[in-house]
Amino acid sequence: MVFTTTPPEITEEIRITIPAIDVNLQRGLSKHLYIVSRLQTQIVQSNLTLGLRWAIPLNDRLHLSVGDDISGWFGALRLKDVFNSQAYGLVNYPNASIGYRLTRDLQLAVRAEAIIDWYYRSQVGSLAVEYKPRTVNGAALTFVLEQPFYNRRHVTLGLRAVYADFNWQFWSLYETFDRNLFYPQLLFGFML
């Protein structure tokens, strides 16, 4: 699960924490190369990510990885005959992570990523807006703790700090300004 809080600049006095189901899959292609995929979904929007990750151990406690993920997001919001809105886009997330084993059972990972918008299209009724910016939209920094839960299962708890001009989860709010905002996210997961 990922919980994202709405910035007050967009929703003013209303603060809503929006949960999203977050499913991550990773498959090793070789000793150090992995293919990764991720699906985040809510009722009115979803995000599908595919990427490659190259990871190496630096020693028995420290690991390093670099990767690049491509994400496609889409959303649709229809309220009877009053409101008909939809949007979709492509985002690139080049990233680097460092993991450190704090104790035998506790690990900390820190991930830095750039957020690069490649494409955006939204439509309300018959009015459409389309951009192909290919510009850096912002950056994110993630801290995740992982520890055993039961058997060979692990639990993760993390915080992701996103500082960006646009966040795909809030496409339907149509902000009226052009500046970066802080989007805090709380991450909670089980590794199977």
Side-chain angles (χ1 to χ4, degrees):
M1 295 294 292
V2 175
F3 298 89
T4 306
T5 301
T6 56
E9 294 87 350
I10 296 177
T11 57
E12 297 178 359
E13 69 276 353
I14 299 171
R15 295 292 292 221
I16 302 169
T17 300
I18 301 171
I21 295 170
D22 188 9
V23 178
N24 295 272
L25 300 172
Q26 179 173 291
R27 174 93 175 158
L29 299 175
S30 70
K31 185 176 180 180
H32 299 290
L33 186 64
Y34 299 86
I35 187 167
V36 293
S37 62
R38 180 179 191 183
L39 171 67
Q40 290 180 307
T41 187
Q42 296 164 316
I43 294 171
V44 296
Q45 61 246 349
S46 296
N47 184 20
L48 180 62
T49 303
L50 294 171
L52 288 175
R53 193 98 56 249
W54 183 73
I56 59 165
L58 298 176
N59 59 39
D60 63 335
R61 287 186 165 245
L62 197 60
H63 293 75
L64 174 72
S65 78
V66 293
D68 195 17
D69 302 336
I70 304 295
S71 174
W73 63 270
F74 54 91
L77 184 58
R78 292 184 179 91
L79 301 173
K80 297 188 181 182
D81 295 330
V82 179
F83 190 75
N84 182 6
S85 178
Q86 56 190 356
Y88 54 91
L90 288 173
V91 182
N92 181 230
Y93 297 97
N95 57 76
S97 300
I98 190 157
Y100 183 73
R101 184 176 311 279
L102 298 167
T103 66
R104 188 176 73 95
D105 291 335
L106 184 63
Q107 299 175 72
L108 171 67
V110 178
R111 175 179 164 139
E113 58 192 325
I115 303 169
I116 303 169
D117 284 339
W118 278 5
Y119 182 77
Y120 171 88
R121 178 174 166 56
S122 68
Q123 184 173 339
V124 177
S126 61
L127 179 63
V129 175
E130 182 177 34
Y131 298 108
K132 298 177 184 175
R134 296 193 186 262
T135 59
V136 175
N137 176 33
L141 189 61
T142 306
F143 299 90
V144 176
L145 285 172
E146 174 190 331
Q147 70 177 35
F149 184 60
Y150 71 93
N151 204 0
R152 295 192 59 168
R153 311 293 185 244
H154 288 72
V155 65
T156 60
L157 181 63
L159 177 66
R160 183 172 185 243
V162 179
Y163 187 69
D165 185 26
F166 175 76
N167 186 320
W168 67 272
Q169 291 178 319
F170 304 105
W171 66 271
S172 63
L173 298 180
Y174 298 107
E175 62 197 46
T176 58
F177 47 82
D178 186 20
R179 70 174 187 262
N180 286 7
L181 299 175
F182 176 61
Y183 299 91
Q185 294 182 322
L186 181 63
L187 310 153
F188 179 74
F190 288 100
M191 297 175 66
L192 305 176

